[in-house]
Amino acid sequence: MSIAKLAPKRWWYIMPIIFISYSLAYLDRANFSFASAAGINTDLGITKGISSLLGALFFLGYFFFQIPGAVYAERRSVRTLIFWCLVLWGVFASLTGIVSNIPMLMAIRFALGVVEAAVMPALLIYISNWFTKAERSRANTFLILGNPVTVLWMSVVSGYLINAFGWREMFIFEGIPAVIWAFCWWVLVNDKPAQAKWLSEDEKQALQQQLAKEQEGIKAVHNYAEAFRSRNVIILCMQYFAWSIGVYGFVLWLPSILRNGMEMGMVQAGWLSAVPYLAATIAMVVVSWASDKLQNRKIFVWPLLLIGALAFIGSYLLGAHHFWGSYALLVIAGAAMYAPYGPFFAIVPEMLPRNVAGGAMALINSMGALGSFVGSWVVGYLNGATGSPSASYVFMAVALLVAVWLTLIVKPAQHAQPIKA
């Protein structure tokens, strides 16, 4: 049986589950940006410096627990790990709405990062268990679409919730769906194709044979230490660190940047914040399809990051007095930064064998979390210290230019040498 005949069944069953799970994770990390724009700082007596640190603390917890979570997912069970992560992050997200002081808020933001740390690498491992090389960029994109699509609707919903109730109720309401979904996840998910009752024996065998065949051509890597020392993994770690500075400086502070540039309410800020993510969603789908079609990853990463850098520079040059021109460039920057995710995360499983690929993806993602911490903290600090987003545009542009250069120097994957007769 051809893999193509399996594709419709796997796509329609697995991808909605993955999309919803990551979407809920992203909702509960990114809604802090709306609380920041809606008055949480005034209510809790948070200074500008502490505000930027609070926005970034999530990523510090996220950084430390990536690899342990990925190792558990790779060697034990993605299903069990994600179930408990869903329950815990939903609880912590809702608890954010009842905090009464800064230390409590700091602890919850850090804890939220800890329990969400394993989600991204675990779901990437899950995808590699179910989808072939020719499908992986698109499958990764459907996972990561949970990011911009969530911010798209969250921007609107959060604006209305804050306007109708307040930032506390927004956190409480938006944390509950993750806990409910955890039990749906537990019922619906199987770790491996062999466990799936909705596949026939022939379908299971065909898929497993294709996945095993793809592993045969990859050069052996004996353990995580060897994988983590490889040149490409180190470069990809640095690349994702720099890229994430731009992405999360943008995500966490966009509503505040918009309200700083023009007088507007939270509902209008919500709608305007949503537009870059609509553009990003379209760009991600097109880029991932083209990457799988041409079986080329790098060419769909660095040019787009370059466009994002140039858009930030353009926003800087226009200045605060040209709001709509600067906003249009921010829409382009957002779309360009998000579009390469699918091809980027397809690189590692094609470069490393299954026994270490998950850990390597976790290491790369953890460096992205560290970059997210730096980006969200520094952008928040620069905006507060200068009273303008101009300096942060330059900072994010430079980070993206570094990511472009690092992508260009990644070498093609090494393949196993054929055994001579």
Coordinates of all heavy atoms in Angstrom, one line a residue, residues 87-132:
V87 N -3.0 19.6 31.7 CA -3.7 19.8 33.0 C -3.0 20.9 33.8 O -3.6 21.9 34.2 CB -3.8 18.5 33.8 CG1 -4.3 18.8 35.2 CG2 -4.7 17.5 33.1
L88 N -1.7 20.8 33.9 CA -0.9 21.7 34.8 C -0.9 23.1 34.2 O -1.0 24.1 34.9 CB 0.5 21.2 35.0 CG 0.5 19.9 35.9 CD1 1.9 19.3 35.9 CD2 0.1 20.3 37.3
W89 N -0.6 23.3 32.8 CA -0.5 24.6 32.3 C -1.9 25.3 32.3 O -2.0 26.5 32.5 CB 0.2 24.7 31.0 CG -0.6 24.6 29.7 CD1 -1.7 25.4 29.4 CD2 -0.4 23.7 28.7 NE1 -2.1 25.0 28.1 CE2 -1.4 24.0 27.7 CE3 0.5 22.7 28.4 CZ2 -1.4 23.3 26.5 CZ3 0.4 22.0 27.2 CH2 -0.5 22.3 26.3
G90 N -3.0 24.6 32.2 CA -4.3 25.2 32.3 C -4.6 25.7 33.7 O -5.1 26.8 33.8
V91 N -4.1 25.0 34.7 CA -4.3 25.4 36.1 C -3.5 26.6 36.4 O -3.9 27.6 36.9 CB -3.9 24.2 37.1 CG1 -3.8 24.8 38.5 CG2 -4.9 23.1 37.0
F92 N -2.2 26.6 36.0 CA -1.3 27.7 36.2 C -1.8 29.0 35.5 O -1.7 30.1 36.0 CB 0.1 27.4 35.8 CG 0.8 26.5 36.8 CD1 1.6 25.4 36.3 CD2 0.8 26.7 38.1 CE1 2.2 24.5 37.2 CE2 1.4 25.8 39.0 CZ 2.2 24.8 38.5
A93 N -2.3 28.8 34.2 CA -2.7 29.9 33.5 C -3.9 30.6 34.2 O -4.0 31.8 34.3 CB -3.1 29.5 32.1
S94 N -4.8 29.8 34.7 CA -6.0 30.4 35.4 C -5.6 31.0 36.7 O -6.1 32.0 37.1 CB -7.1 29.3 35.6 OG -7.7 28.9 34.4
L95 N -4.6 30.4 37.4 CA -4.2 31.0 38.6 C -3.5 32.4 38.5 O -3.5 33.2 39.4 CB -3.1 30.1 39.3 CG -3.7 28.8 40.0 CD1 -2.5 27.9 40.5 CD2 -4.6 29.1 41.1
T96 N -3.0 32.7 37.2 CA -2.5 34.0 37.0 C -3.5 35.1 37.2 O -3.2 36.2 37.6 CB -2.0 34.1 35.5 OG1 -1.2 33.0 35.2 CG2 -1.2 35.4 35.3
G97 N -4.8 34.7 37.0 CA -5.9 35.7 37.2 C -6.2 36.0 38.6 O -7.0 36.9 38.9
I98 N -5.6 35.3 39.6 CA -6.0 35.6 41.0 C -4.7 36.0 41.8 O -4.8 36.1 43.0 CB -6.6 34.3 41.7 CG1 -5.6 33.1 41.7 CG2 -7.9 33.9 41.0 CD1 -6.2 32.0 42.6
V99 N -3.6 36.3 41.1 CA -2.4 36.7 41.8 C -2.7 38.1 42.5 O -3.4 38.9 42.0 CB -1.2 36.8 40.9 CG1 -0.8 35.4 40.4 CG2 -1.4 37.8 39.8
S100 N -2.0 38.3 43.6 CA -2.1 39.5 44.4 C -0.8 40.3 44.6 O -0.8 41.4 45.1 CB -2.8 39.3 45.7 OG -2.0 38.3 46.5
N101 N 0.3 39.7 44.2 CA 1.6 40.3 44.3 C 2.6 39.9 43.3 O 2.3 38.9 42.6 CB 2.1 40.1 45.7 CG 2.3 38.6 46.1 OD1 3.0 37.9 45.4 ND2 1.5 38.1 47.1
I102 N 3.7 40.6 43.2 CA 4.7 40.3 42.1 C 5.4 39.0 42.3 O 5.5 38.2 41.3 CB 5.7 41.5 42.0 CG1 5.0 42.7 41.6 CG2 6.8 41.1 41.1 CD1 5.8 44.0 41.6
P103 N 5.8 38.6 43.5 CA 6.5 37.3 43.7 C 5.6 36.1 43.2 O 6.1 35.1 42.6 CB 6.8 37.2 45.2 CG 7.0 38.6 45.6 CD 5.9 39.4 44.8
M104 N 4.3 36.2 43.5 CA 3.4 35.1 43.1 C 3.3 35.0 41.6 O 3.3 34.0 41.0 CB 2.0 35.4 43.7 CG 1.0 34.2 43.6 SD -0.7 34.6 44.2 CE -0.3 34.9 45.9
L105 N 3.2 36.2 41.0 CA 3.1 36.3 39.5 C 4.4 35.7 38.9 O 4.3 35.0 37.9 CB 2.9 37.7 39.1 CG 2.7 37.9 37.6 CD1 1.6 37.1 37.0 CD2 2.4 39.4 37.3
M106 N 5.5 36.0 39.5 CA 6.8 35.5 39.0 C 6.9 34.0 39.0 O 7.3 33.3 38.1 CB 8.0 36.1 39.8 CG 8.3 37.5 39.4 SD 9.8 38.1 40.4 CE 10.2 39.6 39.5
A107 N 6.4 33.5 40.2 CA 6.5 32.0 40.4 C 5.6 31.3 39.4 O 5.9 30.3 38.8 CB 6.0 31.7 41.8
I108 N 4.4 31.9 39.1 CA 3.4 31.3 38.2 C 3.9 31.3 36.8 O 3.8 30.4 36.0 CB 2.0 31.9 38.3 CG1 1.4 31.4 39.6 CG2 1.1 31.5 37.1 CD1 0.0 32.1 39.9
R109 N 4.5 32.5 36.4 CA 5.1 32.6 35.0 C 6.2 31.6 34.8 O 6.3 31.0 33.7 CB 5.6 34.0 34.8 CG 4.5 35.1 34.6 CD 3.6 34.8 33.4 NE 4.3 35.0 32.1 CZ 3.7 34.7 31.0 NH1 2.5 34.3 30.9 NH2 4.4 34.9 29.8
F110 N 7.0 31.4 35.8 CA 8.1 30.5 35.6 C 7.6 29.0 35.6 O 8.0 28.2 34.7 CB 9.1 30.6 36.8 CG 10.3 29.7 36.8 CD1 11.4 30.0 35.9 CD2 10.3 28.5 37.5 CE1 12.5 29.1 35.9 CE2 11.4 27.6 37.4 CZ 12.5 28.0 36.6
A111 N 6.6 28.7 36.4 CA 6.1 27.4 36.5 C 5.3 27.1 35.2 O 5.4 25.9 34.7 CB 5.1 27.2 37.7
L112 N 4.7 28.0 34.6 CA 4.0 27.9 33.3 C 5.0 27.5 32.2 O 4.7 26.6 31.4 CB 3.3 29.2 32.9 CG 2.3 29.1 31.8 CD1 1.1 28.1 32.1 CD2 1.7 30.5 31.5
G113 N 6.2 28.1 32.3 CA 7.2 27.8 31.3 C 7.7 26.4 31.5 O 8.0 25.6 30.5
V114 N 7.8 25.9 32.7 CA 8.3 24.6 33.1 C 7.4 23.5 32.5 O 7.8 22.6 31.8 CB 8.5 24.4 34.6 CG1 8.7 22.9 34.9 CG2 9.6 25.2 35.1
V115 N 6.1 23.7 32.7 CA 5.1 22.6 32.3 C 4.9 22.7 30.8 O 4.4 21.7 30.2 CB 3.8 22.7 33.1 CG1 4.1 22.4 34.5 CG2 3.1 24.0 32.9
E116 N 5.1 23.8 30.1 CA 5.0 23.9 28.7 C 6.2 23.5 27.9 O 6.2 23.4 26.7 CB 4.5 25.3 28.2 CG 3.0 25.5 28.5 CD 2.5 26.7 27.8 OE1 3.0 27.1 26.7 OE2 1.5 27.4 28.3
A117 N 7.3 23.3 28.7 CA 8.6 23.2 28.0 C 8.7 22.0 27.1 O 9.3 22.0 26.0 CB 9.7 23.0 29.1
A118 N 8.1 20.9 27.5 CA 8.2 19.6 26.7 C 7.2 19.6 25.5 O 7.3 18.7 24.7 CB 7.9 18.4 27.6
V119 N 6.3 20.5 25.4 CA 5.2 20.4 24.5 C 5.7 20.4 23.0 O 5.4 19.5 22.2 CB 4.1 21.5 24.7 CG1 3.1 21.4 23.6 CG2 3.5 21.3 26.1
M120 N 6.5 21.4 22.7 CA 6.9 21.6 21.3 C 7.8 20.4 20.9 O 7.5 19.7 19.9 CB 7.7 22.9 21.2 CG 8.3 23.1 19.8 SD 7.1 23.5 18.6 CE 8.1 24.3 17.4
P121 N 8.9 20.1 21.6 CA 9.7 18.9 21.2 C 8.9 17.6 21.2 O 9.1 16.7 20.3 CB 10.9 18.9 22.1 CG 10.5 19.7 23.3 CD 9.5 20.7 22.8
A122 N 8.0 17.4 22.1 CA 7.3 16.2 22.2 C 6.4 16.0 21.0 O 6.2 14.9 20.4 CB 6.5 16.1 23.5
L123 N 5.7 17.1 20.6 CA 4.8 17.0 19.4 C 5.6 16.9 18.1 O 5.2 16.2 17.2 CB 3.9 18.3 19.4 CG 2.9 18.3 20.5 CD1 2.1 19.7 20.4 CD2 1.9 17.2 20.4
L124 N 6.8 17.5 18.1 CA 7.7 17.2 16.9 C 8.1 15.8 16.8 O 8.2 15.2 15.7 CB 8.9 18.1 16.9 CG 8.7 19.6 16.7 CD1 9.9 20.5 17.0 CD2 8.3 19.9 15.2
I125 N 8.4 15.2 18.0 CA 8.7 13.7 18.0 C 7.5 12.9 17.6 O 7.6 12.0 16.8 CB 9.2 13.3 19.4 CG1 10.5 13.9 19.7 CG2 9.2 11.8 19.6 CD1 10.9 13.9 21.2
Y126 N 6.4 13.3 18.0 CA 5.1 12.6 17.7 C 4.9 12.6 16.1 O 4.6 11.6 15.5 CB 3.9 13.3 18.4 CG 2.6 12.6 18.2 CD1 2.4 11.3 18.8 CD2 1.6 13.2 17.5 CE1 1.2 10.7 18.6 CE2 0.4 12.5 17.3 CZ 0.2 11.3 17.9 OH -1.0 10.7 17.7
I127 N 5.1 13.8 15.5 CA 5.0 14.0 14.1 C 6.0 13.0 13.4 O 5.6 12.4 12.4 CB 5.2 15.4 13.7 CG1 3.9 16.2 14.0 CG2 5.5 15.5 12.2 CD1 4.1 17.7 13.9
S128 N 7.2 13.0 13.9 CA 8.2 12.1 13.2 C 7.9 10.6 13.3 O 8.4 9.8 12.5 CB 9.6 12.4 13.8 OG 9.7 11.9 15.1
N129 N 7.0 10.3 14.3 CA 6.6 8.9 14.4 C 5.4 8.5 13.4 O 5.1 7.3 13.2 CB 6.0 8.6 15.8 CG 7.1 8.6 16.8 OD1 8.3 8.4 16.5 ND2 6.8 8.9 18.1
W130 N 4.8 9.5 12.8 CA 3.6 9.3 12.0 C 3.7 9.8 10.6 O 2.9 9.4 9.7 CB 2.4 10.0 12.7 CG 1.9 9.3 13.9 CD1 2.3 9.4 15.2 CD2 0.9 8.3 13.9 NE1 1.6 8.6 16.0 CE2 0.7 7.9 15.2 CE3 0.1 7.7 12.9 CZ2 -0.2 6.9 15.6 CZ3 -0.9 6.8 13.2 CH2 -1.0 6.4 14.6
F131 N 4.7 10.7 10.3 CA 4.7 11.3 8.9 C 6.1 11.1 8.3 O 7.1 11.2 9.0 CB 4.4 12.8 9.0 CG 2.9 13.0 9.4 CD1 2.5 13.2 10.7 CD2 1.9 13.0 8.4 CE1 1.2 13.3 11.0 CE2 0.6 13.2 8.7 CZ 0.2 13.3 10.1
T132 N 6.1 10.9 7.0 CA 7.4 10.6 6.3 C 8.1 11.9 5.9 O 7.6 13.0 6.1 CB 7.0 9.9 5.0 OG1 6.3 10.8 4.1 CG2 6.2 8.6 5.2

